[in-house]
Amino acid sequence: MFALADGNNFYASCERVFNPSLNGKPVVVLSNNDGSIIARSNEAKALGISMGQPYYQAKKTIDEHGVNVFSSNYELYGDMSNRMMTVLSSLAPESEIYSIDECFLGFSGFDEGRLSEHAHLIRERTLKWTGIPVSIGLAPTKTLAKAANKVAKKNEGIKLIRTSDQIDELLEKYPVEDLWGIGRKYNKRLQEMGIKTALQFKQLPEGWVKKHMTISGLRLQYELKGISCIPLEKVSATKKAICTSRSFGSYVSTYKEMEEVVANFAFKCAEKARKENTVARAVTIFIHTNGFNTTLPQYSNSRTLRLPVATANTAEILHYVRLALRSIYRPGYSYKKAGVMLTGLHTKDAIQMDLFDSLDRNRQSLLMETIDELNGKMGKKGVFDPPVKFALQTHLAEQKNWPMQRKFLSPCYTTRWESVLKAS
DNA sequence: TCTGGGGTCCTAGGACCC
DNA sequence: TCTGGGGTCCTAGGACCC
């Protein structure tokens, strides 16, 4: 069984922890530049203020009802998040920090009869020790736990579903668009087909789902059937991209200004990369005009440059960012947004070796032989990477009794691995 | 005047290799 | 020079998440 614990109206709740007089009063938190609303207390929601709404649109309601408005303070929220995660993970056998305000908990080996009672304990402790109210959904898969969590938030703060009857009962009333993995595009398509509830989605033919929604859609469908195929990620994964981007409070319309802006972003990205202990192999920059203002001429472009040597060095990255900007900047436009992104991040060979180490001795040596053989066939290029990845996946699939993986891997690897197993 | 800032995963297709 | 079945690596683009 999995649980999803989620801090209610997280940013707004954080502000309340430091200002308890706000309890019971409407609170909203704004994005950068105070552009739009990114968090609302229940009272603010009740006033009809919606998520992502531009501040100026909601301003009338806010003024009329004396709503308390905060500019975002990510340092504070990050700090509160750490506290909350520490408490939550101390109360379950396994945990995965999913986002700033969400934590998956794993309860394998836990007495299921006590789960509901334990969930109450988690809520009480988190509230008492951090001041943040949380909702908890419990279910056999992560996707179902997400759904249960959403229902919990509207009710008593805790929702547990276990039997297939309980699952279907929940899914029948659950809008398909609220599922984890269904966004605007997929929802539109499903609505056109008359698929409105999660239960209806669960009953769609697997072939259709795979074809039109890729393997991710199929995974979602399996999860709704109670077959867990999204495992808990207990150690936080190393980042694959690092990005710094902003919308500007006012327009940027000279090259000089823009160069300063992206240089700043490059600096921040390099800093983040060093903190993560990674180096980047490529850097991308992008610039956009204001897409909302249809009267202004529009231009947007991006450029990716490979770094000759993987690096997290500010000066080197800066050099290539300037080069890229020069090639895409067009004068005469009013720019509204820009960003710098580092990709191709890696920390030496650590990841591959981890995968390899997770195998037992026998398999390691068999794998090495197979790799040697394949390397011989393939010439100097080598094929180290995919077989090792595959070996790890198989290993995990066996450990977790996870039905999805084997089926979805490219057949050539399956055959190979099977011959390795046969040989043992 | 005013509309977030981070990320992830998957697929298709092209260049290239043996 | 052609044919072919494997592969790899890389990029672009589209979907999604909070």
Side-chain angles (χ1 to χ4, degrees):
Chain A
M1 289 287 281
F2 294 96
L4 177 67
D6 177 326
N8 299 342
N9 315 323
F10 188 68
Y11 295 166
S13 298
C14 287
E15 297 292 349
R16 274 183 175 165
V17 171
F18 293 91
N19 191 347
S21 71
L22 296 172
N23 285 326
K25 294 182 188 157
V27 174
V28 298
V29 176
L30 304 177
S31 65
N32 252 33
N33 300 329
D34 293 347
S36 61
I37 287 155
I38 54 170
R40 310 153 294 155
S41 71
N42 288 343
E43 298 77 13
K45 286 179 191 171
L47 293 174
I49 299 171
S50 51
M51 182 70 178
Q53 196 178 14
Y55 181 36
Y56 72 91
Q57 267 179 23
K59 191 134 190 348
K60 192 159 168 258
T61 317
I62 286 173
D63 291 344
E64 268 170 23
H65 295 86
V67 176
N68 298 274
V69 180
F70 290 88
S71 296
S72 43
N73 179 349
Y74 292 105
E75 231 168 277
L76 170 70
Y77 309 148
D79 190 57
M80 289 305 294
S81 174
N82 287 341
R83 291 192 213 178
M84 185 175 90
M85 298 307 172
T86 308
V87 176
L88 287 174
S89 49
S90 73
L91 293 170
E94 304 168 324
S95 62
E96 170 194 341
I97 296 169
Y98 177 67
S99 74
I100 193 159
D101 67 336
E102 286 170 285
C103 186
F104 282 108
L105 302 173
F107 286 101
S108 53
F110 201 89
D111 175 7
E112 293 201 359
R114 285 185 44 234
L115 264 182
S116 172
E117 190 192 327
H118 189 69
H120 282 92
L121 177 86
I122 294 175
R123 280 196 87 203
E124 280 163 28
R125 290 235 178 128
T126 320
L127 183 62
K128 194 170 159 197
W129 291 353
T130 68
I132 303 284
V134 297
S135 302
I136 300 173
L138 299 113
T141 69
K142 282 167 84 176
T143 306
L144 286 169
K146 280 279 264 189
N149 178 283
K150 201 150 200 165
V151 174
K153 229 175 265 182
K154 287 184 207 140
N155 301 311
E156 313 297 302
I158 291 174
K159 177 81 184 173
L160 184 147
I161 48 170
R162 189 163 38 202
T163 65
S164 55
D165 285 347
Q166 289 170 335
I167 292 170
D168 284 359
E169 196 193 321
L170 184 138
L171 295 185
E172 200 184 350
K173 285 180 261 164
Y174 198 86
V176 69
E177 67 202 273
D178 288 348
L179 284 173
W180 189 34
I182 303 291
R184 246 186 20 250
K185 292 285 171 86
Y186 285 154
N187 180 47
K188 184 162 175 271
R189 176 138 203 191
L190 291 168
Q191 293 295 330
E192 281 164 6
M193 295 170 57
I195 306 298
K196 298 194 180 335
T197 70
L199 187 62
Q200 286 175 307
F201 174 75
K202 176 177 156 182
Q203 289 158 350
L204 279 175
E206 286 180 19
W208 188 92
V209 174
K210 169 90 199 305
K211 183 164 173 227
H212 294 102
M213 300 174 67
T214 80
I215 210 147
S216 315
L218 196 50
R219 232 156 8 211
L220 163 61
Q221 207 188 20
Y222 267 60
E223 286 247 319
L224 295 183
K225 293 176 184 173
I227 301 164
S228 174
C229 20
I230 305 175
L232 213 60
E233 283 175 30
K234 280 165 268 181
V235 283
S236 61
T238 50
K239 281 202 177 70
K240 294 178 177 155
I242 286 173
C243 177
T244 304
S245 70
R246 291 281 180 284
S247 293
F248 312 130
S250 53
Y251 290 107
V252 166
S253 42
T254 67
Y255 184 76
K256 202 165 174 285
E257 260 182 295
M258 184 60 97
E259 193 175 35
E260 245 167 69
V261 167
V262 295
N264 244 315
F265 293 164
F267 180 85
K268 279 190 185 144
C269 280
E271 204 176 29
K272 285 188 206 173
R274 289 195 298 271
K275 225 181 209 168
E276 292 275 326
N277 209 11
T278 57
V279 286
R281 276 192 289 198
V283 58
T284 303
I285 89 156
F286 54 86
I287 54 178
H288 299 297
T289 53
N290 186 355
F292 288 103
N293 188 336
T294 46
T295 59
L296 285 174
Q298 300 289 316
Y299 172 72
S300 98
N301 206 347
S302 74
R303 172 80 77 246
T304 302
L305 293 180
R306 274 204 74 115
L307 301 165
V309 178
T311 182
N313 177 289
T314 306
E316 281 175 59
I317 290 171
L318 205 54
H319 173 76
Y320 287 95
V321 160
R322 289 214 170 98
L323 224 60
L325 179 66
R326 212 168 305 152
S327 75
I328 61 170
Y329 186 88
R330 296 281 171 276
Y333 292 99
S334 298
Y335 293 96
K336 185 63 185 171
K337 185 174 178 174
V340 169
M341 184 157 45
L342 298 180
T343 53
L345 302 180
H346 62 172
T347 49
K348 307 278 181 281
D349 299 314
I351 296 163
Q352 269 195 3
M353 287 323 292
D354 281 354
L355 307 192
F356 190 75
D357 286 347
S358 69
L359 297 171
D360 63 45
R361 286 236 148 212
N362 198 20
R363 283 190 194 166
Q364 280 183 357
S365 60
L366 280 161
L367 193 61
M368 283 315 295
E369 282 168 30
T370 316
I371 288 164
D372 284 346
E373 192 192 312
L374 291 169
N375 279 342
K377 252 199 199 157
M378 298 297 298
K380 54 178 180 289
K381 275 235 155 189
V383 287
F384 189 66
D385 197 12
V388 173
K389 266 190 205 150
F390 176 64
L392 175 76
Q393 286 175 332
T394 312
H395 182 70
L396 288 179
E398 279 166 12
Q399 250 187 5
K400 303 217 144 249
N401 194 16
W402 186 12
M404 303 294 287
Q405 286 287 350
R406 184 173 285 263
K407 210 157 118 192
F408 294 139
L409 276 151
S410 156
C412 69
Y413 294 132
T414 316
T415 344
R416 253 173 224 177
W417 183 252
E418 267 158 9
S419 69
V420 168
L421 287 183
K422 242 182 241 157
S424 68

